[in-house]
């Protein structure tokens, strides 16, 4: 059983930064997803340990967000810079046991989910 423990959400003004953390072990593909009220859950970023740490990002966050993994701590981070009000959402950490071609930004490809952490960006 994979357990995901998230932390790091909060409130920030536009242009600010936040770093989300997700502790997990035994997984080879990790991702961050977000869901705003009234909207579908969308993929933000993934990191594929099976493929040497390759990453993928949603177009809306490219150049502003960075996903990384500290293998010694079994923790995945999402560094979010230049935050915009439209980044406001509940952010979820997700994991799957195997990476490769299924390590994508599609939520249906992930089996394990954290409880979510709220990110609010004010203008």
């Amino acid at each position: 059983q994979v357990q995901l423990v998230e932390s790091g959400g909060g409130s920030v003004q536009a242009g600010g930064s936040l770093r989300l953390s997700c502790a997990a072990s035994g997984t080879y593909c990790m991702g961050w997803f977000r869901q705003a009220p009234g909207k579908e859950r969308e993929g933000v970023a993934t990191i594929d340990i099976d493929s040497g740490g390759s990453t993928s990002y949603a177009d809306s966050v490219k150049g502003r967000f960075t996903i990384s993994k500290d293998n010694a701590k079994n923790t995945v981070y999402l560094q979010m810079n230049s935050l915009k009000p439209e980044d406001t959402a509940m952010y979820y950490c997700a994991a799957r046991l195997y990476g490769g071609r299924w390590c994508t930004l599609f939520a249906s490809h992930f089996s394990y989910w954290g409880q979510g952490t709220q990110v609010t960006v004010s203008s």
Side-chain angles (χ1 to χ4, degrees), residues 30-32 45-47 54-57 65-69 76-79:
M30 301 287 294
W32 287 98
T46 64
I47 184 164
S54 63
T55 58
S56 61
Y57 296 92
F65 291 11
T66 302
I67 188 170
S68 61
K69 189 174 190 291
V76 172
Y77 302 99
L78 184 68
Q79 178 67 44

Side-chain angles (χ1 to χ4, degrees), residues 2 4 24-30 49 69 76 95-98 112:
V2 176
L4 305 177
S25 61
T27 59
Y28 291 92
C29 170
M30 301 287 294
I49 308 306
K69 189 174 190 291
V76 172
R96 54 176 289 118
L97 295 179
Y98 303 100
Y112 304 97

Side-chain angles (χ1 to χ4, degrees), residues 34-53:
R34 67 186 182 186
Q35 188 167 17
K39 294 187 177 181
E40 293 187 355
R41 188 169 297 189
E42 64 170 341
V44 175
T46 64
I47 184 164
D48 185 355
I49 308 306
D50 260 350
S51 299

Side-chain angles (χ1 to χ4, degrees), residues 5 23 31-32 35 37 44 53 58 72 75 78 81 84 90 109 112-114 116 118 121:
V5 182
W32 287 98
Q35 188 167 17
V44 175
T75 300
L78 184 68
N81 299 328
K84 304 175 180 180
M90 185 72 79
H109 291 172
Y112 304 97
W113 293 85
Q118 178 68 36
V121 184

Side-chain angles (χ1 to χ4, degrees), residues 3-10 20-23 31-36 41 78 80 89-95 112-120:
Q3 291 187 326
L4 305 177
V5 182
E6 300 149 332
S7 61
L20 306 182
S21 301
C22 177
W32 287 98
F33 293 76
R34 67 186 182 186
Q35 188 167 17
R41 188 169 297 189
L78 184 68
M80 305 184 294
M90 185 72 79
Y91 282 70
Y92 297 90
C93 175
Y112 304 97
W113 293 85
Q115 78 284 358
T117 185
Q118 178 68 36
V119 171
T120 302

